[in-house]
Amino acid sequence: MRITALSKELGVSAMTIRRDIAELADKGLLKRVHGGAVTTSTLLSEPLFSVKSQMDIGLKDAIAQEAVKYVAPGDVIAIGGGTTAYVFAQHLLESQQAAGITILTNSIPVAELVQALESKDVEVIVTGGVITRSNSLVGPIADKVVASLRVNTVFLGTHSVSIPRGFLMPNSLEAATDMAMMDIADRTIILTDHTKWSCTSLSLFARFDQVDTVITDDGLDPDTAAKTKELVKELVLAEQTEPVQESEQE
């Protein structure tokens, strides 16, 4: 987009646009070029965890509340990286279902949540590995730790959903670690908001037939929902607790 076009469309000065572009570029959400800005490659990069955690909060809450229903006290579960999985962990640890559970995770923020609990009724196992932009631990070290364990259910986020291919991540190492978690789980649940069906990424980590349940929000359009239901064993549309503004979905 050109600065002049953005200034006219939004009704603000060119200086304001330049400042906004600079701020967004610092967060890795776009790239500055002469006279404007271009999108960063959605195939190869993703925003920082701190940026993503402020996006689509209402949607993540709705998805997390549904996902908690899939955990029983005493379960051994795995929780992957990303902000949707993090919000799920928050809701889970505040619920009665968290009693006596063990959590395997490659998410530093999720591990910190458990560590901050006053009650030590929840055990956490952290994989180790190389830290990504999303504060996830990935790579051969993480994969080796994961392969030595077994869990009832794994809860994973995703960067994008592609029909009919499946679920993808920008980071190939993170995709490999997600696959390792799926290999040791009796059940795989994907947590993702409806905007992920309009994204694309580099590395496939799961086909639809490898996933037991997809939990998304009721903002998913009916046509896409129907196509997804044909491919996955179970699709759950979580009801949003609050209306979502258009600006939050973009």
Side-chain angles (χ1 to χ4, degrees):
M1 293 289 291
R2 307 293 297 177
I3 288 175
T4 51
L6 286 169
S7 178
K8 182 178 180 181
E9 181 174 342
L10 300 176
V12 297
S13 69
M15 183 60 70
T16 296
I17 296 296
R18 289 190 183 93
R19 284 199 297 265
D20 289 345
I21 286 175
E23 182 178 348
L24 292 169
D26 288 342
K27 294 178 178 179
L29 298 175
L30 52 75
K31 180 180 179 181
R32 281 182 288 180
V33 296
H34 181 69
V38 297
T39 182
T40 53
S41 172
T42 57
L43 291 172
L44 301 176
S45 64
E46 60 180 326
L48 295 170
F49 183 92
S50 59
V51 175
K52 292 198 296 181
S53 63
Q54 302 303 314
M55 299 165 64
D56 302 314
I57 296 174
L59 305 183
K60 293 170 185 174
D61 280 332
I63 293 165
Q65 288 167 14
E66 281 295 326
V68 168
K69 300 175 184 177
Y70 288 78
V71 181
D75 272 355
V76 179
I77 66 170
I79 301 177
T83 54
T84 305
Y86 174 78
V87 174
F88 160 65
Q90 287 179 310
H91 283 269
L92 175 61
L93 294 174
E94 293 170 357
S95 73
Q96 294 182 346
Q97 280 94 321
I101 66 171
T102 298
I103 298 174
L104 167 67
T105 187
N106 68 325
S107 167
I108 294 173
V110 169
E112 290 174 341
L113 272 179
V114 179
Q115 187 64 24
L117 284 178
E118 293 183 6
S119 168
K120 296 303 177 185
D121 194 28
V122 179
E123 182 178 358
V124 63
I125 301 169
V126 184
T127 64
V130 178
I131 302 176
T132 69
R133 287 172 60 86
S134 60
N135 282 2
S136 300
L137 297 164
V138 301
I141 294 174
D143 298 349
K144 186 174 182 178
V145 170
V146 170
S148 68
L149 302 170
R150 188 76 191 175
V151 300
N152 302 122
T153 308
V154 59
F155 296 86
L156 298 172
T158 183
H159 185 264
S160 64
V161 184
S162 173
I163 296 176
R165 292 186 65 203
F167 306 90
L168 302 100
M169 287 287 183
N171 186 318
S172 59
L173 289 177
E174 187 163 8
T177 299
D178 283 350
M179 285 189 280
M181 285 190 174
M182 290 173 58
D183 285 342
I184 66 160
D186 297 327
R187 177 174 60 176
T188 296
I189 298 178
I190 301 291
L191 311 177
T192 182
D193 68 77
H194 73 274
T195 65
K196 300 302 192 300
W197 271 260
S198 61
C199 301
T200 187
S201 296
L202 179 67
S203 299
L204 183 76
F205 70 88
R207 302 187 311 272
F208 281 99
D209 62 2
Q210 294 175 300
V211 171
D212 296 283
T213 302
V214 175
I215 304 178
T216 187
D217 60 271
D218 57 4
L220 189 65
D221 71 85
D223 182 57
T224 302
K227 291 177 181 178
T228 303
K229 284 181 179 179
E230 293 176 357
L231 296 167
V232 75
K233 297 173 185 175
E234 181 184 29
L235 176 66
V236 178
L237 301 179
E239 184 177 353
Q240 300 173 43
T241 55
E242 296 179 0
V244 178
Q245 301 297 321
E246 287 297 321
S247 60
E248 293 179 308
Q249 298 181 41
E250 295 174 355

